[in-house]
Amino acid sequence: MKWQKSGRLILTLLLLVLPAACGGNPMPAEPAVPVPEETAAAPEEAPCVHRPFQGDNVTEHEAAGYCGNTVTTVSREERVWDAPWEASFWGEDSVALTDLLLYLDYSGNVCRCLPEYSVDTEFGTGYGVNLTEGYARFGGGQADLTEEQVEQIREILERQGETP
């Protein structure tokens, strides 16, 4: 057993030393498989371009009847804003914001821009809204907002004490 271990050790040393003694290099300077040269970095993706939606971006739906007790909570997204803000409200503003977000056509692709606000209503949670870029997103989709919709949301937030 000792002879086998010693023999393996001697053989390994000979294989490493012998090529060097014969002028060879046991460790080639270049790898056997050529390494591709570094390519130029891929150009950055173009920034998102948002324009106010022109036309009707609301899905067909039956008129919903809400009572004024519908509660909506809006909060600033922490990844975008430095200072936290949150408001829960009901009544006419809650109904209007719920109705607006509930029936938008969210069939558009989601862009890389972050939402500025998170909105939770009794009829859906996890809406993302960006008033600067003019979109709302929900359930893996996104809808561009009209100028009127952006202004309506902005006015609702202002009445709740936010200054978007």
PDB file of all heavy atoms in Angstrom, residues 74-77 80-81 97 100-101 104 106 113-120 126-138 142-143 145 149-150 153-154 157:
ATOM      1  N   VAL A  74     -53.575  54.874  -0.749  1.00  0.00           N
ATOM      2  CA  VAL A  74     -52.519  55.238  -1.687  1.00  0.00           C
ATOM      3  C   VAL A  74     -51.265  55.515  -0.877  1.00  0.00           C
ATOM      4  O   VAL A  74     -51.312  56.203   0.149  1.00  0.00           O
ATOM      5  CB  VAL A  74     -52.896  56.489  -2.508  1.00  0.00           C
ATOM      6  CG1 VAL A  74     -51.772  56.859  -3.468  1.00  0.00           C
ATOM      7  CG2 VAL A  74     -54.191  56.276  -3.263  1.00  0.00           C
ATOM      8  N   SER A  75     -50.140  54.978  -1.330  1.00  0.00           N
ATOM      9  CA  SER A  75     -48.872  55.241  -0.653  1.00  0.00           C
ATOM     10  C   SER A  75     -47.777  55.473  -1.686  1.00  0.00           C
ATOM     11  O   SER A  75     -47.863  54.983  -2.818  1.00  0.00           O
ATOM     12  CB  SER A  75     -48.500  54.082   0.273  1.00  0.00           C
ATOM     13  OG  SER A  75     -48.394  52.880  -0.460  1.00  0.00           O
ATOM     14  N   ARG A  76     -46.789  56.233  -1.273  1.00  0.00           N
ATOM     15  CA  ARG A  76     -45.632  56.454  -2.128  1.00  0.00           C
ATOM     16  C   ARG A  76     -44.807  55.178  -2.204  1.00  0.00           C
ATOM     17  O   ARG A  76     -44.663  54.464  -1.214  1.00  0.00           O
ATOM     18  CB  ARG A  76     -44.736  57.552  -1.557  1.00  0.00           C
ATOM     19  CG  ARG A  76     -45.293  58.934  -1.673  1.00  0.00           C
ATOM     20  CD  ARG A  76     -44.319  59.915  -1.064  1.00  0.00           C
ATOM     21  NE  ARG A  76     -44.767  61.281  -1.223  1.00  0.00           N
ATOM     22  CZ  ARG A  76     -44.207  62.305  -0.600  1.00  0.00           C
ATOM     23  NH1 ARG A  76     -43.202  62.093   0.227  1.00  0.00           N
ATOM     24  NH2 ARG A  76     -44.662  63.523  -0.795  1.00  0.00           N
ATOM     25  N   GLU A  77     -44.252  54.918  -3.379  1.00  0.00           N
ATOM     26  CA  GLU A  77     -43.347  53.784  -3.535  1.00  0.00           C
ATOM     27  C   GLU A  77     -41.994  54.161  -2.936  1.00  0.00           C
ATOM     28  O   GLU A  77     -41.408  55.185  -3.315  1.00  0.00           O
ATOM     29  CB  GLU A  77     -43.180  53.423  -5.014  1.00  0.00           C
ATOM     30  CG  GLU A  77     -44.315  52.619  -5.581  1.00  0.00           C
ATOM     31  CD  GLU A  77     -44.362  51.192  -5.054  1.00  0.00           C
ATOM     32  OE1 GLU A  77     -43.318  50.645  -4.639  1.00  0.00           O
ATOM     33  OE2 GLU A  77     -45.451  50.625  -5.067  1.00  0.00           O
ATOM     34  N   VAL A  80     -38.869  55.082  -5.035  1.00  0.00           N
ATOM     35  CA  VAL A  80     -38.891  56.304  -5.832  1.00  0.00           C
ATOM     36  C   VAL A  80     -38.798  57.557  -4.963  1.00  0.00           C
ATOM     37  O   VAL A  80     -38.118  58.513  -5.311  1.00  0.00           O
ATOM     38  CB  VAL A  80     -40.176  56.352  -6.698  1.00  0.00           C
ATOM     39  CG1 VAL A  80     -40.266  57.641  -7.483  1.00  0.00           C
ATOM     40  CG2 VAL A  80     -40.231  55.150  -7.635  1.00  0.00           C
ATOM     41  N   TRP A  81     -39.495  57.558  -3.836  1.00  0.00           N
ATOM     42  CA  TRP A  81     -39.588  58.736  -2.990  1.00  0.00           C
ATOM     43  C   TRP A  81     -38.652  58.624  -1.795  1.00  0.00           C
ATOM     44  O   TRP A  81     -38.429  57.543  -1.268  1.00  0.00           O
ATOM     45  CB  TRP A  81     -41.010  58.895  -2.469  1.00  0.00           C
ATOM     46  CG  TRP A  81     -42.025  59.136  -3.528  1.00  0.00           C
ATOM     47  CD1 TRP A  81     -42.756  58.197  -4.184  1.00  0.00           C
ATOM     48  CD2 TRP A  81     -42.419  60.399  -4.068  1.00  0.00           C
ATOM     49  NE1 TRP A  81     -43.593  58.797  -5.089  1.00  0.00           N
ATOM     50  CE2 TRP A  81     -43.405  60.149  -5.046  1.00  0.00           C
ATOM     51  CE3 TRP A  81     -42.044  61.711  -3.817  1.00  0.00           C
ATOM     52  CZ2 TRP A  81     -44.013  61.169  -5.758  1.00  0.00           C
ATOM     53  CZ3 TRP A  81     -42.656  62.724  -4.534  1.00  0.00           C
ATOM     54  CH2 TRP A  81     -43.621  62.449  -5.491  1.00  0.00           C
ATOM     55  N   LEU A  97     -61.369  56.918  -7.980  1.00  0.00           N
ATOM     56  CA  LEU A  97     -60.071  56.275  -8.231  1.00  0.00           C
ATOM     57  C   LEU A  97     -60.239  54.774  -8.437  1.00  0.00           C
ATOM     58  O   LEU A  97     -59.617  54.187  -9.329  1.00  0.00           O
ATOM     59  CB  LEU A  97     -59.101  56.568  -7.092  1.00  0.00           C
ATOM     60  CG  LEU A  97     -57.659  56.107  -7.308  1.00  0.00           C
ATOM     61  CD1 LEU A  97     -57.077  56.661  -8.602  1.00  0.00           C
ATOM     62  CD2 LEU A  97     -56.789  56.504  -6.115  1.00  0.00           C
ATOM     63  N   LEU A 100     -61.721  54.255 -11.918  1.00  0.00           N
ATOM     64  CA  LEU A 100     -60.738  54.527 -12.959  1.00  0.00           C
ATOM     65  C   LEU A 100     -59.761  53.354 -13.106  1.00  0.00           C
ATOM     66  O   LEU A 100     -59.528  52.864 -14.209  1.00  0.00           O
ATOM     67  CB  LEU A 100     -59.972  55.813 -12.623  1.00  0.00           C
ATOM     68  CG  LEU A 100     -59.060  56.356 -13.695  1.00  0.00           C
ATOM     69  CD1 LEU A 100     -58.928  57.865 -13.549  1.00  0.00           C
ATOM     70  CD2 LEU A 100     -57.699  55.734 -13.671  1.00  0.00           C
ATOM     71  N   LEU A 101     -59.184  52.896 -12.000  1.00  0.00           N
ATOM     72  CA  LEU A 101     -58.175  51.839 -12.063  1.00  0.00           C
ATOM     73  C   LEU A 101     -58.760  50.463 -12.371  1.00  0.00           C
ATOM     74  O   LEU A 101     -58.130  49.650 -13.047  1.00  0.00           O
ATOM     75  CB  LEU A 101     -57.393  51.782 -10.744  1.00  0.00           C
ATOM     76  CG  LEU A 101     -56.532  53.004 -10.434  1.00  0.00           C
ATOM     77  CD1 LEU A 101     -55.918  52.879  -9.053  1.00  0.00           C
ATOM     78  CD2 LEU A 101     -55.458  53.194 -11.491  1.00  0.00           C
ATOM     79  N   LEU A 104     -59.396  49.938 -16.427  1.00  0.00           N
ATOM     80  CA  LEU A 104     -58.412  50.246 -17.473  1.00  0.00           C
ATOM     81  C   LEU A 104     -58.048  48.977 -18.238  1.00  0.00           C
ATOM     82  O   LEU A 104     -58.113  47.866 -17.697  1.00  0.00           O
ATOM     83  CB  LEU A 104     -57.145  50.845 -16.861  1.00  0.00           C
ATOM     84  CG  LEU A 104     -57.218  52.288 -16.397  1.00  0.00           C
ATOM     85  CD1 LEU A 104     -55.935  52.670 -15.667  1.00  0.00           C
ATOM     86  CD2 LEU A 104     -57.467  53.223 -17.565  1.00  0.00           C
ATOM     87  N   TYR A 106     -55.389  46.806 -19.199  1.00  0.00           N
ATOM     88  CA  TYR A 106     -54.011  46.522 -18.806  1.00  0.00           C
ATOM     89  C   TYR A 106     -53.344  45.502 -19.734  1.00  0.00           C
ATOM     90  O   TYR A 106     -52.570  44.666 -19.290  1.00  0.00           O
ATOM     91  CB  TYR A 106     -53.970  46.000 -17.364  1.00  0.00           C
ATOM     92  CG  TYR A 106     -54.367  47.026 -16.340  1.00  0.00           C
ATOM     93  CD1 TYR A 106     -55.649  47.025 -15.792  1.00  0.00           C
ATOM     94  CD2 TYR A 106     -53.478  48.003 -15.930  1.00  0.00           C
ATOM     95  CE1 TYR A 106     -56.020  47.969 -14.849  1.00  0.00           C
ATOM     96  CE2 TYR A 106     -53.838  48.949 -14.990  1.00  0.00           C
ATOM     97  CZ  TYR A 106     -55.111  48.925 -14.451  1.00  0.00           C
ATOM     98  OH  TYR A 106     -55.474  49.860 -13.520  1.00  0.00           O
ATOM     99  N   CYS A 113     -39.805  51.496 -16.063  1.00  0.00           N
ATOM    100  CA  CYS A 113     -40.005  52.612 -15.127  1.00  0.00           C
ATOM    101  C   CYS A 113     -40.704  52.110 -13.860  1.00  0.00           C
ATOM    102  O   CYS A 113     -41.581  51.261 -13.927  1.00  0.00           O
ATOM    103  CB  CYS A 113     -40.863  53.696 -15.768  1.00  0.00           C
ATOM    104  SG  CYS A 113     -40.187  54.389 -17.272  1.00  0.00           S
ATOM    105  N   LEU A 114     -40.304  52.676 -12.739  1.00  0.00           N
ATOM    106  CA  LEU A 114     -40.930  52.281 -11.474  1.00  0.00           C
ATOM    107  C   LEU A 114     -42.205  53.087 -11.224  1.00  0.00           C
ATOM    108  O   LEU A 114     -42.253  54.278 -11.522  1.00  0.00           O
ATOM    109  CB  LEU A 114     -39.964  52.533 -10.314  1.00  0.00           C
ATOM    110  CG  LEU A 114     -38.699  51.692 -10.305  1.00  0.00           C
ATOM    111  CD1 LEU A 114     -37.767  52.160  -9.190  1.00  0.00           C
ATOM    112  CD2 LEU A 114     -39.033  50.226 -10.133  1.00  0.00           C
ATOM    113  N   PRO A 115     -43.215  52.466 -10.653  1.00  0.00           N
ATOM    114  CA  PRO A 115     -44.407  53.224 -10.257  1.00  0.00           C
ATOM    115  C   PRO A 115     -44.046  54.203  -9.140  1.00  0.00           C
ATOM    116  O   PRO A 115     -43.180  53.921  -8.315  1.00  0.00           O
ATOM    117  CB  PRO A 115     -45.375  52.164  -9.748  1.00  0.00           C
ATOM    118  CG  PRO A 115     -44.816  50.859 -10.138  1.00  0.00           C
ATOM    119  CD  PRO A 115     -43.362  51.042 -10.387  1.00  0.00           C
ATOM    120  N   GLU A 116     -44.732  55.339  -9.104  1.00  0.00           N
ATOM    121  CA  GLU A 116     -44.510  56.312  -8.043  1.00  0.00           C
ATOM    122  C   GLU A 116     -45.411  56.044  -6.838  1.00  0.00           C
ATOM    123  O   GLU A 116     -45.055  56.377  -5.711  1.00  0.00           O
ATOM    124  CB  GLU A 116     -44.804  57.724  -8.567  1.00  0.00           C
ATOM    125  CG  GLU A 116     -43.871  58.155  -9.675  1.00  0.00           C
ATOM    126  CD  GLU A 116     -44.332  59.436 -10.358  1.00  0.00           C
ATOM    127  OE1 GLU A 116     -45.555  59.592 -10.607  1.00  0.00           O
ATOM    128  OE2 GLU A 116     -43.467  60.264 -10.641  1.00  0.00           O
ATOM    129  N   TYR A 117     -46.581  55.456  -7.107  1.00  0.00           N
ATOM    130  CA  TYR A 117     -47.559  55.218  -6.052  1.00  0.00           C
ATOM    131  C   TYR A 117     -48.077  53.788  -6.134  1.00  0.00           C
ATOM    132  O   TYR A 117     -48.178  53.207  -7.210  1.00  0.00           O
ATOM    133  CB  TYR A 117     -48.756  56.175  -6.181  1.00  0.00           C
ATOM    134  CG  TYR A 117     -48.379  57.617  -6.007  1.00  0.00           C
ATOM    135  CD1 TYR A 117     -48.092  58.413  -7.108  1.00  0.00           C
ATOM    136  CD2 TYR A 117     -48.293  58.173  -4.740  1.00  0.00           C
ATOM    137  CE1 TYR A 117     -47.728  59.743  -6.949  1.00  0.00           C
ATOM    138  CE2 TYR A 117     -47.939  59.497  -4.570  1.00  0.00           C
ATOM    139  CZ  TYR A 117     -47.644  60.276  -5.679  1.00  0.00           C
ATOM    140  OH  TYR A 117     -47.287  61.584  -5.517  1.00  0.00           O
ATOM    141  N   SER A 118     -48.421  53.269  -4.978  1.00  0.00           N
ATOM    142  CA  SER A 118     -49.094  51.981  -4.873  1.00  0.00           C
ATOM    143  C   SER A 118     -50.518  52.267  -4.402  1.00  0.00           C
ATOM    144  O   SER A 118     -50.721  53.055  -3.474  1.00  0.00           O
ATOM    145  CB  SER A 118     -48.368  51.092  -3.862  1.00  0.00           C
ATOM    146  OG  SER A 118     -49.028  49.871  -3.717  1.00  0.00           O
ATOM    147  N   VAL A 119     -51.490  51.634  -5.063  1.00  0.00           N
ATOM    148  CA  VAL A 119     -52.900  51.882  -4.734  1.00  0.00           C
ATOM    149  C   VAL A 119     -53.575  50.550  -4.428  1.00  0.00           C
ATOM    150  O   VAL A 119     -53.477  49.599  -5.201  1.00  0.00           O
ATOM    151  CB  VAL A 119     -53.627  52.584  -5.904  1.00  0.00           C
ATOM    152  CG1 VAL A 119     -55.090  52.837  -5.539  1.00  0.00           C
ATOM    153  CG2 VAL A 119     -52.928  53.873  -6.294  1.00  0.00           C
ATOM    154  N   ASP A 120     -54.259  50.509  -3.302  1.00  0.00           N
ATOM    155  CA  ASP A 120     -55.049  49.341  -2.914  1.00  0.00           C
ATOM    156  C   ASP A 120     -56.487  49.792  -2.726  1.00  0.00           C
ATOM    157  O   ASP A 120     -56.755  50.777  -2.035  1.00  0.00           O
ATOM    158  CB  ASP A 120     -54.537  48.733  -1.609  1.00  0.00           C
ATOM    159  CG  ASP A 120     -53.140  48.166  -1.749  1.00  0.00           C
ATOM    160  OD1 ASP A 120     -52.793  47.670  -2.838  1.00  0.00           O
ATOM    161  OD2 ASP A 120     -52.374  48.215  -0.760  1.00  0.00           O
ATOM    162  N   GLY A 126     -52.573  46.310  -5.239  1.00  0.00           N
ATOM    163  CA  GLY A 126     -51.309  46.235  -5.959  1.00  0.00           C
ATOM    164  C   GLY A 126     -51.262  47.001  -7.267  1.00  0.00           C
ATOM    165  O   GLY A 126     -50.455  46.697  -8.135  1.00  0.00           O
ATOM    166  N   TYR A 127     -52.115  48.007  -7.415  1.00  0.00           N
ATOM    167  CA  TYR A 127     -52.015  48.865  -8.596  1.00  0.00           C
ATOM    168  C   TYR A 127     -50.758  49.712  -8.452  1.00  0.00           C
ATOM    169  O   TYR A 127     -50.473  50.216  -7.363  1.00  0.00           O
ATOM    170  CB  TYR A 127     -53.220  49.797  -8.712  1.00  0.00           C
ATOM    171  CG  TYR A 127     -54.527  49.124  -9.014  1.00  0.00           C
ATOM    172  CD1 TYR A 127     -55.411  48.802  -8.000  1.00  0.00           C
ATOM    173  CD2 TYR A 127     -54.881  48.803 -10.322  1.00  0.00           C
ATOM    174  CE1 TYR A 127     -56.627  48.197  -8.271  1.00  0.00           C
ATOM    175  CE2 TYR A 127     -56.103  48.192 -10.601  1.00  0.00           C
ATOM    176  CZ  TYR A 127     -56.956  47.890  -9.563  1.00  0.00           C
ATOM    177  OH  TYR A 127     -58.154  47.285  -9.841  1.00  0.00           O
ATOM    178  N   GLY A 128     -50.023  49.895  -9.530  1.00  0.00           N
ATOM    179  CA  GLY A 128     -48.890  50.808  -9.554  1.00  0.00           C
ATOM    180  C   GLY A 128     -49.229  51.967 -10.465  1.00  0.00           C
ATOM    181  O   GLY A 128     -49.705  51.762 -11.578  1.00  0.00           O
ATOM    182  N   VAL A 129     -48.995  53.186  -9.992  1.00  0.00           N
ATOM    183  CA  VAL A 129     -49.339  54.369 -10.771  1.00  0.00           C
ATOM    184  C   VAL A 129     -48.116  55.278 -10.869  1.00  0.00           C
ATOM    185  O   VAL A 129     -47.445  55.530  -9.864  1.00  0.00           O
ATOM    186  CB  VAL A 129     -50.517  55.139 -10.130  1.00  0.00           C
ATOM    187  CG1 VAL A 129     -50.806  56.425 -10.886  1.00  0.00           C
ATOM    188  CG2 VAL A 129     -51.755  54.255 -10.076  1.00  0.00           C
ATOM    189  N   ASN A 130     -47.848  55.767 -12.070  1.00  0.00           N
ATOM    190  CA  ASN A 130     -46.782  56.730 -12.289  1.00  0.00           C
ATOM    191  C   ASN A 130     -47.392  57.927 -13.013  1.00  0.00           C
ATOM    192  O   ASN A 130     -47.749  57.827 -14.190  1.00  0.00           O
ATOM    193  CB  ASN A 130     -45.644  56.110 -13.103  1.00  0.00           C
ATOM    194  CG  ASN A 130     -44.446  57.012 -13.224  1.00  0.00           C
ATOM    195  OD1 ASN A 130     -44.564  58.196 -13.498  1.00  0.00           O
ATOM    196  ND2 ASN A 130     -43.265  56.435 -13.028  1.00  0.00           N
ATOM    197  N   LEU A 131     -47.526  59.041 -12.308  1.00  0.00           N
ATOM    198  CA  LEU A 131     -48.137  60.239 -12.894  1.00  0.00           C
ATOM    199  C   LEU A 131     -47.161  60.979 -13.799  1.00  0.00           C
ATOM    200  O   LEU A 131     -47.569  61.611 -14.760  1.00  0.00           O
ATOM    201  CB  LEU A 131     -48.643  61.167 -11.796  1.00  0.00           C
ATOM    202  CG  LEU A 131     -49.743  60.589 -10.909  1.00  0.00           C
ATOM    203  CD1 LEU A 131     -50.136  61.580  -9.827  1.00  0.00           C
ATOM    204  CD2 LEU A 131     -50.950  60.179 -11.744  1.00  0.00           C
ATOM    205  N   THR A 132     -45.873  60.893 -13.502  1.00  0.00           N
ATOM    206  CA  THR A 132     -44.868  61.556 -14.336  1.00  0.00           C
ATOM    207  C   THR A 132     -44.836  60.931 -15.722  1.00  0.00           C
ATOM    208  O   THR A 132     -44.800  61.630 -16.736  1.00  0.00           O
ATOM    209  CB  THR A 132     -43.477  61.458 -13.680  1.00  0.00           C
ATOM    210  OG1 THR A 132     -43.539  62.015 -12.367  1.00  0.00           O
ATOM    211  CG2 THR A 132     -42.434  62.188 -14.507  1.00  0.00           C
ATOM    212  N   GLU A 133     -44.852  59.615 -15.782  1.00  0.00           N
ATOM    213  CA  GLU A 133     -44.799  58.895 -17.059  1.00  0.00           C
ATOM    214  C   GLU A 133     -46.193  58.614 -17.616  1.00  0.00           C
ATOM    215  O   GLU A 133     -46.340  58.245 -18.772  1.00  0.00           O
ATOM    216  CB  GLU A 133     -44.017  57.588 -16.913  1.00  0.00           C
ATOM    217  CG  GLU A 133     -42.590  57.771 -16.427  1.00  0.00           C
ATOM    218  CD  GLU A 133     -41.730  58.588 -17.377  1.00  0.00           C
ATOM    219  OE1 GLU A 133     -42.048  58.670 -18.587  1.00  0.00           O
ATOM    220  OE2 GLU A 133     -40.734  59.159 -16.907  1.00  0.00           O
ATOM    221  N   GLY A 134     -47.212  58.731 -16.776  1.00  0.00           N
ATOM    222  CA  GLY A 134     -48.586  58.586 -17.229  1.00  0.00           C
ATOM    223  C   GLY A 134     -49.021  57.166 -17.508  1.00  0.00           C
ATOM    224  O   GLY A 134     -49.561  56.871 -18.571  1.00  0.00           O
ATOM    225  N   TYR A 135     -48.827  56.274 -16.532  1.00  0.00           N
ATOM    226  CA  TYR A 135     -49.305  54.908 -16.714  1.00  0.00           C
ATOM    227  C   TYR A 135     -49.803  54.345 -15.393  1.00  0.00           C
ATOM    228  O   TYR A 135     -49.500  54.851 -14.316  1.00  0.00           O
ATOM    229  CB  TYR A 135     -48.224  53.992 -17.299  1.00  0.00           C
ATOM    230  CG  TYR A 135     -47.105  53.652 -16.345  1.00  0.00           C
ATOM    231  CD1 TYR A 135     -47.275  52.696 -15.350  1.00  0.00           C
ATOM    232  CD2 TYR A 135     -45.871  54.272 -16.426  1.00  0.00           C
ATOM    233  CE1 TYR A 135     -46.258  52.378 -14.465  1.00  0.00           C
ATOM    234  CE2 TYR A 135     -44.855  53.969 -15.557  1.00  0.00           C
ATOM    235  CZ  TYR A 135     -45.046  53.022 -14.573  1.00  0.00           C
ATOM    236  OH  TYR A 135     -44.048  52.726 -13.687  1.00  0.00           O
ATOM    237  N   ALA A 136     -50.573  53.264 -15.509  1.00  0.00           N
ATOM    238  CA  ALA A 136     -50.983  52.462 -14.356  1.00  0.00           C
ATOM    239  C   ALA A 136     -50.696  51.012 -14.717  1.00  0.00           C
ATOM    240  O   ALA A 136     -50.796  50.624 -15.879  1.00  0.00           O
ATOM    241  CB  ALA A 136     -52.467  52.647 -14.054  1.00  0.00           C
ATOM    242  N   ARG A 137     -50.303  50.230 -13.742  1.00  0.00           N
ATOM    243  CA  ARG A 137     -50.073  48.802 -14.018  1.00  0.00           C
ATOM    244  C   ARG A 137     -50.760  47.953 -12.965  1.00  0.00           C
ATOM    245  O   ARG A 137     -50.959  48.379 -11.829  1.00  0.00           O
ATOM    246  CB  ARG A 137     -48.593  48.481 -14.151  1.00  0.00           C
ATOM    247  CG  ARG A 137     -47.735  48.546 -12.981  1.00  0.00           C
ATOM    248  CD  ARG A 137     -46.292  48.108 -13.210  1.00  0.00           C
ATOM    249  NE  ARG A 137     -45.574  48.817 -14.236  1.00  0.00           N
ATOM    250  CZ  ARG A 137     -44.297  49.166 -14.164  1.00  0.00           C
ATOM    251  NH1 ARG A 137     -43.588  48.866 -13.099  1.00  0.00           N
ATOM    252  NH2 ARG A 137     -43.708  49.804 -15.146  1.00  0.00           N
ATOM    253  N   PHE A 138     -51.123  46.765 -13.430  1.00  0.00           N
ATOM    254  CA  PHE A 138     -51.845  45.851 -12.545  1.00  0.00           C
ATOM    255  C   PHE A 138     -51.800  44.459 -13.150  1.00  0.00           C
ATOM    256  O   PHE A 138     -51.957  44.289 -14.360  1.00  0.00           O
ATOM    257  CB  PHE A 138     -53.307  46.303 -12.379  1.00  0.00           C
ATOM    258  CG  PHE A 138     -54.128  45.423 -11.486  1.00  0.00           C
ATOM    259  CD1 PHE A 138     -53.918  45.414 -10.121  1.00  0.00           C
ATOM    260  CD2 PHE A 138     -55.099  44.594 -12.013  1.00  0.00           C
ATOM    261  CE1 PHE A 138     -54.678  44.599  -9.294  1.00  0.00           C
ATOM    262  CE2 PHE A 138     -55.861  43.780 -11.199  1.00  0.00           C
ATOM    263  CZ  PHE A 138     -55.645  43.783  -9.828  1.00  0.00           C
ATOM    264  N   GLN A 142     -49.924  46.741 -18.232  1.00  0.00           N
ATOM    265  CA  GLN A 142     -49.790  48.175 -18.046  1.00  0.00           C
ATOM    266  C   GLN A 142     -50.733  48.907 -18.993  1.00  0.00           C
ATOM    267  O   GLN A 142     -50.965  48.447 -20.108  1.00  0.00           O
ATOM    268  CB  GLN A 142     -48.343  48.584 -18.303  1.00  0.00           C
ATOM    269  CG  GLN A 142     -48.023  50.022 -18.044  1.00  0.00           C
ATOM    270  CD  GLN A 142     -46.527  50.259 -18.031  1.00  0.00           C
ATOM    271  OE1 GLN A 142     -45.824  49.640 -17.233  1.00  0.00           O
ATOM    272  NE2 GLN A 142     -46.044  51.126 -18.885  1.00  0.00           N
ATOM    273  N   ALA A 143     -51.243  50.044 -18.551  1.00  0.00           N
ATOM    274  CA  ALA A 143     -52.119  50.883 -19.373  1.00  0.00           C
ATOM    275  C   ALA A 143     -51.599  52.309 -19.344  1.00  0.00           C
ATOM    276  O   ALA A 143     -51.349  52.858 -18.261  1.00  0.00           O
ATOM    277  CB  ALA A 143     -53.552  50.846 -18.838  1.00  0.00           C
ATOM    278  N   LEU A 145     -52.112  56.194 -19.496  1.00  0.00           N
ATOM    279  CA  LEU A 145     -53.231  57.038 -19.070  1.00  0.00           C
ATOM    280  C   LEU A 145     -53.391  58.224 -20.004  1.00  0.00           C
ATOM    281  O   LEU A 145     -52.418  58.714 -20.578  1.00  0.00           O
ATOM    282  CB  LEU A 145     -52.979  57.543 -17.646  1.00  0.00           C
ATOM    283  CG  LEU A 145     -52.831  56.477 -16.560  1.00  0.00           C
ATOM    284  CD1 LEU A 145     -52.371  57.115 -15.253  1.00  0.00           C
ATOM    285  CD2 LEU A 145     -54.136  55.725 -16.367  1.00  0.00           C
ATOM    286  N   GLN A 149     -56.985  61.516 -17.258  1.00  0.00           N
ATOM    287  CA  GLN A 149     -56.889  60.543 -16.169  1.00  0.00           C
ATOM    288  C   GLN A 149     -55.738  60.896 -15.221  1.00  0.00           C
ATOM    289  O   GLN A 149     -55.879  60.801 -14.002  1.00  0.00           O
ATOM    290  CB  GLN A 149     -56.705  59.135 -16.733  1.00  0.00           C
ATOM    291  CG  GLN A 149     -57.955  58.603 -17.408  1.00  0.00           C
ATOM    292  CD  GLN A 149     -57.690  57.361 -18.242  1.00  0.00           C
ATOM    293  OE1 GLN A 149     -56.589  57.172 -18.782  1.00  0.00           O
ATOM    294  NE2 GLN A 149     -58.703  56.515 -18.367  1.00  0.00           N
ATOM    295  N   VAL A 150     -54.608  61.322 -15.776  1.00  0.00           N
ATOM    296  CA  VAL A 150     -53.478  61.733 -14.933  1.00  0.00           C
ATOM    297  C   VAL A 150     -53.901  62.911 -14.062  1.00  0.00           C
ATOM    298  O   VAL A 150     -53.634  62.941 -12.856  1.00  0.00           O
ATOM    299  CB  VAL A 150     -52.241  62.099 -15.793  1.00  0.00           C
ATOM    300  CG1 VAL A 150     -51.163  62.778 -14.951  1.00  0.00           C
ATOM    301  CG2 VAL A 150     -51.678  60.860 -16.477  1.00  0.00           C
ATOM    302  N   ILE A 153     -56.290  61.771 -11.235  1.00  0.00           N
ATOM    303  CA  ILE A 153     -55.577  61.106 -10.130  1.00  0.00           C
ATOM    304  C   ILE A 153     -54.788  62.137  -9.326  1.00  0.00           C
ATOM    305  O   ILE A 153     -54.787  62.121  -8.090  1.00  0.00           O
ATOM    306  CB  ILE A 153     -54.648  59.995 -10.666  1.00  0.00           C
ATOM    307  CG1 ILE A 153     -55.476  58.881 -11.315  1.00  0.00           C
ATOM    308  CG2 ILE A 153     -53.773  59.437  -9.543  1.00  0.00           C
ATOM    309  CD1 ILE A 153     -54.648  57.849 -12.075  1.00  0.00           C
ATOM    310  N   ARG A 154     -54.118  63.048 -10.015  1.00  0.00           N
ATOM    311  CA  ARG A 154     -53.344  64.093  -9.340  1.00  0.00           C
ATOM    312  C   ARG A 154     -54.246  64.914  -8.402  1.00  0.00           C
ATOM    313  O   ARG A 154     -53.890  65.179  -7.251  1.00  0.00           O
ATOM    314  CB  ARG A 154     -52.682  64.991 -10.373  1.00  0.00           C
ATOM    315  CG  ARG A 154     -51.712  66.015  -9.801  1.00  0.00           C
ATOM    316  CD  ARG A 154     -51.072  66.885 -10.866  1.00  0.00           C
ATOM    317  NE  ARG A 154     -50.573  66.181 -12.027  1.00  0.00           N
ATOM    318  CZ  ARG A 154     -49.408  65.523 -12.094  1.00  0.00           C
ATOM    319  NH1 ARG A 154     -48.636  65.470 -11.038  1.00  0.00           N
ATOM    320  NH2 ARG A 154     -49.042  64.927 -13.212  1.00  0.00           N
ATOM    321  N   LEU A 157     -55.181  62.912  -5.299  1.00  0.00           N
ATOM    322  CA  LEU A 157     -54.067  62.849  -4.350  1.00  0.00           C
ATOM    323  C   LEU A 157     -53.866  64.168  -3.637  1.00  0.00           C
ATOM    324  O   LEU A 157     -53.572  64.209  -2.438  1.00  0.00           O
ATOM    325  CB  LEU A 157     -52.788  62.416  -5.064  1.00  0.00           C
ATOM    326  CG  LEU A 157     -52.776  60.995  -5.639  1.00  0.00           C
ATOM    327  CD1 LEU A 157     -51.443  60.688  -6.291  1.00  0.00           C
ATOM    328  CD2 LEU A 157     -53.110  59.956  -4.578  1.00  0.00           C
TER     329      LEU A 157
END
